[in-house]
C-alpha cells in the first residue's frame, strides 16, 4: 500500500546505531522532555497571558477601530483602498474592527469578563457591515461571523461556564449583526451553476462584476459550521442549506479513482483547475468541517464523508512507515499528490498542514497525530518558526515567511489534552519563547518575513490573538473552565468556542443520532482518545524516531 512507500530521506544503515546509542536512563530526549514542573507551567501561563495583552492592549491603543495593528510603526491598518487587487490585505480587512471582533472569546478564556463586556459593547456600538468592502467569504465567515455567534452563545449560555458574563440589556445584538453579515455574504451563492460560492463579495453591492469563477476547496467548503449554527439560532434554514449544498457539490466532484478532491475548482463548470490534493492550504478546513459539522449537528452524512475522505488521505497521501512508533522506514508524512493518479506533485508541505494532527486527535487517530506533529515541531526547532512552505527533499524552506500562524500550537494543545504528556508542554514553551525572541516588536508581534534571517513585516494578523495566544494560554491553564468535564466545546477553524450541548438542544428531532458510542462520537472532551496511562511517562514518540526526524530536517 502507498502508506508504506518510502520518501528515501534517511540512510537506514544508521537505524540500529541510533538504537544502540540510547540507554533509556541516559537518553537526552527523555531527560529534556519527560517532566514539566507546576511552577514552570504557571510561569508559561503568565507569559502567554502577557503575550496576548501586549498585542491586544496595543491594538486598542494604536489601531482600533481599524482592522489590524501594524506592530512596528504602532498604527492601525484597514483595507488597501488604493489597490483593490491587493487581496492579501483586502480579502481579510473589511473596515469592521476585525481584530477586536476576532478576539472577543479569547478575553473570556483569559478570565477577563470586564474587558469582554466592554469589547462587546464597543462592537455593538461602533461596527457596521454596510461598507463598500470586497472581502473573501471564507475569511469574513470564520473571523467575523464565527466570533459573533460564539460570543452571543457564550453571553446567553445559562450554564455560565466563565462566570456571569451577561450584559444588562443585551438584546441579541451580536446575533443580529451575524445575521446581517451572513445576508451580505449570501449573494456569493447566487448565479453559480454548481452551487459552489464565488470567493468574494462586496458587502454593499454583492458579487463584483469582474469576479473570477475559481475558488479553493477550503474556501467554498468550510462555511457549514458557522452557517449551520446561525441557521439553528435563527430558525432559518437558508444559511445551512447553501453551505451544505456547496459541500455536497464539492464532494460530488471527487475523483472516482482515488476519492480525492483537488484544491481549485471552477464554480460554473465544476472542472478542477487545481488538481493538487493535500491536507494543507486550499483544502485543510474542508476536512476539518466535515468532522466538526457532524459533532455539532449530528448529521450522519457529514461523518460518512469525513470517514471516506480520511480513508482516501491515508491511502494516497500518507507516505513513510506503516506504524508511527514501530518498525523501520521514513517517518509518516502527508504529501501533495495529483487527485486523479495519486502521484506526488511536489516535494513541499505547508505550515497550514500543521493543523492536521489536531484533527487526527479529534477523530481518535492519536498515534498518527503524534508522528506528524513531531515532524512539524522539528521544523520549528530548526528555524524558531514554521516557514510557509518547507521542502522535505531539499531540507530547506521553499517559502520563507511566518505570519504568526496558530496551527502547530493548536495541534500541540489538542495532543496534550489527549495524552497529558509533558512533552507537549515543552513544545508549547519552545513556541512561546521563539515568538518572544523572534517576533516581538515595539507595539506587538510581527510577521516574520524570513524565518532564517528573522527579518520582519509590519503586520499582526488577527488570528495571532484569536488563536495562537488562546491555544498557548489553554495549554498551560489546566483549571480553565473549558477543561471541566461537564463542559464540552469545539473550536471553529478560527479558534472560536462553541458549546456542543447548546447546539444539540437546537437540533431538530429528525437530526438526532446516537451519541453514546465512542466510535460514533469523535469529540475529544477530556478522557477521549487518550493513549494508555503508561505511555504518559515515556515520550509520545520513541527517541530513535525523534532523532530520525531531527536528522531529516537538518537539526544535526
Amino acid at each position: 500500500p502507498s502508506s508504506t512507500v518510502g520518501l528515501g530521506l534517511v540512510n537506514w544503515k544508521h537505524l540500529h546505531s541510533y538504537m544502540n546509542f540510547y540507554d533509556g536512563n541516559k537518553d537526552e530526549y527523555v531527560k529534556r522532555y519527560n517532566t514539566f514542573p507546576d511552577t514552570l507551567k504557571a510561569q508559561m501561563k503568565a507569559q502567554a497571558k502577557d503575550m496576548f495583552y501586549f498585542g491586544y492592549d496595543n491594538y486598542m491603543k494604536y489601531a482600533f477601530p481599524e482592522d489590524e495593528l501594524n506592530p512596528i510603526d504602532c498604527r492601525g491598518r484597514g483595507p488597501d483602498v488604493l489597490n483593490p487587487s491587493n487581496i492579501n490585505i483586502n480579502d481579510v480587512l473589511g473596515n469592521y474592527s476585525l481584530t477586536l471582533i476576532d478576539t472577543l472569546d479569547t478575553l473570556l478564556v483569559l478570565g477577563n469578563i470586564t474587558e469582554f463586556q466592554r469589547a462587546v459593547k464597543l462592537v455593538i456600538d461602533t461596527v457596521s457591515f454596510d461598507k463598500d468592502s470586497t472581502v473573501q467569504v471564507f475569511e469574513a465567515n470564520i473571523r467575523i461571523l464565527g466570533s459573533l455567534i460564539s460570543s452571543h452563545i457564550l453571553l446567553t449560555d445559562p450554564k455560565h461556564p466563565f462566570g456571569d458574563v451577561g450584559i444588562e440589556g443585551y438584546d441579541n445584538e451580536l446575533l443580529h449583526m451575524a445575521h446581517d453579515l451572513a445576508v451580505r455574504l449570501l449573494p456569493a451563492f447566487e448565479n453559480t451553476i454548481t452551487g459552489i460560492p464565488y470567493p468574494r463579495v462586496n458587502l454593499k453591492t454583492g458579487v463584483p462584476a469582474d469576479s473570477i469563477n475559481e475558488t479553493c476547496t477550503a474556501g467554498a467548503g468550510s462555511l457549514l459550521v458557522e452557517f449551520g449554527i446561525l441557521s439553528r439560532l435563527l430558525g432559518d434554514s437558508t444559511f445551512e442549506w447553501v453551505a451544505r449544498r456547496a459541500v455536497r457539490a464539492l464532494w460530488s466532484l471527487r475523483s472516482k479513482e482515488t476519492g480525492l478532491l483537488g484544491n481549485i475548482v471552477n464554480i460554473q463548470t465544476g472542472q478542477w483547475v487545481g488538481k493538487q490534493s493535500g491536507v494543507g492550504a486550499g483544502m485543510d478546513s474542508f476536512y476539518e468541517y466535515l468532522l466538526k459539522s457532524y459533532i455539532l449537528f449530528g448529521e450522519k452524512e457529514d461523518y460518512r464523508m469525513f470517514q471516506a475522505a480520511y480513508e482516501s488521505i491515508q491511502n494516497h497521501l500518507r507516505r513513510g512507515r506503516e506504524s508511527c512508533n514501530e518498525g523501520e522506514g521514513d517517518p509518516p508524512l502527508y504529501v501533495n499528490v495529483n487527485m486523479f493518479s495519486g502521484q506526488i506533485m511536489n516535494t513541499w508541505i505547508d505550515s497550514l498542514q500543521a493543523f492536521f494532527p489536531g484533527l487526527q486527535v479529534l477523530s481518535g487517530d492519536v498515534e498518527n497525530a503524534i508522528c506528524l506533529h513531531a515532524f512539524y515541531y522539528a521544523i520549528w526547532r530548526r528555524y524558531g518558526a514554521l516557514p510557509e512552505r518547507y521542502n522535505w527533499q531539499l531540507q530547506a524552506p521553499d517559502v520563507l515567511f511566518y505570519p504568526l500562524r496558530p496551527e502547530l500550537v493548536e495541534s500541540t494543545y489538542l495532543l496534550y489534552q489527549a495524552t497529558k504528556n509533558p512533552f507537549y508542554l515543552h513544545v508549547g514553551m519552545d513556541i512561546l519563547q521563539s515568538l518572544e525572541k523572534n517576533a516581538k516588536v515595539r507595539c506587538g508581534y510581527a510577521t516574520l518575513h524570513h524565518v532564517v534571517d528573522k527579518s520582519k513585516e509590519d503586520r499582526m494578523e488577527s488570528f495571532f490573538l484569536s488563536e495562537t495566544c488562546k491555544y498557548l494560554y489553554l495549554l498551560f491553564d489546566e483549571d480553565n473552565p473549558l477543561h471541566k468535564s461537564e463542559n464540552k466545546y469545539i473550536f471553529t477553524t478560527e479558534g472560536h468556542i462553541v458549546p456542543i450541548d447548546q447546539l444539540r438542544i437546537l437540533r431538530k428531532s429528525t437530526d438526532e443520532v446516537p451519541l453514546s458510542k465512542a466510535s460514533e462520537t469523535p469529540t475529544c472532551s477530556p478522557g477521549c482518545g487518550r493513549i494508555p496511562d503508561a505511555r504518559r511517562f515515556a515520550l509520545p514518540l520513541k527517541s530513535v524516531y525523534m532523532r530520525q526526524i531531527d536528522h531529516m530536517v537538518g537539526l544535526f
Side-chain angles (χ1 to χ4, degrees):
S2 58
S3 65
T4 59
V5 172
L7 294 161
L9 297 173
V10 176
N11 182 341
W12 281 98
K13 288 186 291 187
H14 295 312
L15 179 70
H16 293 293
S17 63
Y18 286 164
M19 291 282 198
N20 296 335
F21 183 80
Y22 283 104
D23 171 332
N25 295 321
K26 298 172 186 171
D27 185 331
E28 63 185 272
Y29 289 92
V30 172
K31 282 180 186 172
R32 180 175 176 185
Y33 293 116
N34 74 341
T35 59
F36 202 93
D38 286 345
T39 51
L40 189 56
K41 200 186 295 183
Q43 191 182 330
M44 291 302 109
K45 175 182 160 183
Q47 278 190 28
K49 191 174 194 174
D50 290 346
M51 176 180 282
F52 169 81
Y53 281 115
F54 188 65
Y56 176 79
D57 291 344
N58 279 305
Y59 166 76
M60 294 305 294
K61 181 177 179 180
Y62 296 109
F64 175 80
E66 295 196 72
D67 286 308
E68 284 180 354
L69 169 69
N70 287 357
I72 295 174
D73 71 6
C74 304
R75 294 170 63 180
R77 177 204 292 262
D80 186 352
V81 292
L82 298 177
N83 182 12
S85 65
N86 183 5
I87 57 174
N88 183 42
I89 296 295
N90 293 333
D91 272 358
V92 180
L93 278 58
N95 193 18
Y96 39 36
S97 301
L98 168 68
T99 296
L100 180 62
I101 293 179
D102 208 3
T103 301
L104 290 174
D105 63 347
T106 310
L107 291 165
L108 277 188
V109 167
L110 269 64
N112 195 339
I113 294 172
T114 307
E115 183 61 18
F116 170 75
Q117 293 172 329
R118 185 179 86 93
V120 166
K121 288 174 186 170
L122 270 176
V123 169
I124 292 169
D125 292 342
T126 66
V127 175
S128 164
F129 299 123
D130 190 28
K131 298 280 172 65
D132 184 20
S133 300
T134 298
V135 295
Q136 195 185 83
V137 175
F138 169 75
E139 296 289 1
N141 173 63
I142 66 169
R143 300 201 200 201
I144 300 287
L145 185 66
S147 184
L148 291 172
I149 56 180
S150 167
S151 298
H152 167 75
I153 292 171
L154 294 171
L155 263 174
T156 56
D157 186 347
K159 290 172 73 176
H160 294 306
F162 293 100
D164 186 4
V165 303
I167 296 172
E168 192 175 344
Y170 177 71
D171 191 23
N172 299 332
E173 288 92 343
L174 296 182
L175 180 59
H176 298 319
M177 292 178 72
H179 187 195
D180 176 44
L181 176 60
V183 167
R184 294 171 189 274
L185 299 179
L186 278 181
F189 296 87
E190 297 166 9
N191 303 314
T192 134
I193 295 169
T194 61
I196 300 168
Y198 284 91
R200 295 173 185 87
V201 294
N202 182 286
L203 296 177
K204 262 189 190 290
T205 60
V207 177
D210 60 351
S211 184
I212 59 170
N213 285 322
E214 295 171 6
T215 191
C216 72
T217 302
S222 307
L223 307 170
L224 184 51
V225 165
E226 290 83 0
F227 274 44
I229 294 169
L230 183 64
S231 273
R232 286 149 199 266
L233 290 172
L234 294 171
D236 178 351
S237 61
T238 305
F239 306 101
E240 181 171 349
W241 187 83
V242 295
R244 192 171 285 285
R245 181 180 61 165
V247 171
R248 287 171 175 155
L250 287 163
W251 186 247
S252 72
L253 299 174
R254 70 195 187 281
S255 164
K256 302 295 180 282
E257 289 76 32
T258 64
L260 298 172
L261 292 85
N263 59 339
I264 302 172
V265 69
N266 184 300
I267 66 172
Q268 303 298 356
T269 66
Q271 294 296 305
W272 289 105
V273 181
K275 299 178 178 64
Q276 177 176 300
S277 195
V279 293
M283 303 198 68
D284 48 358
S285 51
F286 175 78
Y287 303 120
E288 178 185 358
Y289 271 21
L290 291 178
L291 181 55
K292 289 183 176 178
S293 296
Y294 169 72
I295 292 168
L296 287 171
F297 309 134
E299 295 275 4
K300 287 183 177 178
E301 174 192 14
D302 296 333
Y303 194 37
R304 281 195 292 267
M305 286 190 285
F306 174 77
Q307 285 181 304
Y310 194 69
E311 186 177 343
S312 294
I313 288 167
Q314 293 297 99
N315 286 339
H316 298 286
L317 272 59
R318 189 185 185 279
R319 297 293 195 274
R321 63 178 174 271
E322 197 164 337
S323 172
C324 172
N325 251 319
E326 300 292 339
E328 296 191 5
D330 292 316
L333 197 61
Y334 293 83
V335 299
N336 300 315
V337 305
N338 181 289
M339 64 174 288
F340 296 109
S341 68
Q343 296 299 305
I344 291 183
M345 286 186 72
N346 50 56
T347 57
W348 52 260
I349 53 176
D350 64 59
S351 65
L352 286 165
Q353 198 196 101
F355 98 99
F356 198 63
L359 184 60
Q360 292 179 310
V361 168
L362 205 60
S363 72
D365 190 0
V366 179
E367 289 293 340
N368 269 310
I370 285 168
C371 255
L372 184 58
H373 173 275
F375 195 87
Y376 273 96
Y377 173 49
I379 298 170
W380 183 284
R381 282 176 55 218
R382 180 167 176 192
Y383 299 106
L386 276 189
E388 191 72 351
R389 284 184 186 172
Y390 176 81
N391 192 308
W392 44 261
Q393 192 168 62
L394 301 177
Q395 297 184 9
D398 271 357
V399 180
L400 288 149
F401 70 91
Y402 170 66
L404 311 177
R405 290 200 189 279
E407 284 77 14
L408 180 61
V409 189
E410 176 188 4
S411 290
T412 302
Y413 164 66
L414 290 168
L415 272 162
Y416 181 66
Q417 286 301 307
T419 66
K420 292 299 178 185
N421 195 300
F423 171 80
Y424 296 107
L425 298 173
H426 283 278
V427 175
M429 182 169 70
D430 278 359
I431 292 171
L432 191 54
Q433 290 175 340
S434 296
L435 290 169
E436 281 292 325
K437 178 183 175 186
N438 299 324
K440 192 171 187 178
V441 292
R442 188 157 60 114
C443 289
Y445 294 83
T447 292
L448 292 184
H449 176 71
H450 194 297
V451 296
V452 179
D453 69 22
K454 306 299 188 286
S455 55
K456 297 170 184 66
E457 295 177 23
D458 197 5
R459 189 172 186 192
M460 186 177 82
E461 293 241 27
S462 66
F463 53 64
F464 174 69
L465 298 179
S466 173
E467 299 183 80
T468 310
C469 292
K470 180 186 285 156
Y471 288 125
L472 278 170
Y473 181 81
L474 283 170
L475 176 63
F476 298 110
D477 185 20
E478 297 277 1
D479 300 322
N480 197 278
L482 285 181
H483 299 147
K484 302 285 186 259
S485 59
E486 67 273 16
N487 298 330
K488 291 185 174 62
Y489 295 89
I490 206 153
F491 295 96
T492 70
T493 196
E494 185 73 7
H496 295 305
I497 300 160
V498 183
I500 297 170
D501 294 340
Q502 286 289 97
L503 286 156
R504 286 188 181 155
I505 293 166
L506 292 169
R507 279 186 190 161
K508 307 181 193 94
S509 58
T510 54
D511 294 341
E512 206 59 63
V513 293
L515 285 160
S516 54
K517 297 178 186 171
S519 63
E520 292 183 319
T521 314
T523 57
C524 207
S525 53
C528 153
R530 285 186 178 159
I531 60 173
D533 282 357
R535 284 277 301 283
R536 290 191 217 169
F537 303 103
L539 290 167
L541 186 62
K542 289 175 183 173
S543 297
V544 59
Y545 299 125
M546 288 188 66
R547 187 170 179 84
Q548 173 200 11
I549 290 172
D550 286 354
H551 180 68
M552 271 179 63
V553 303
L555 273 168
F556 64 87

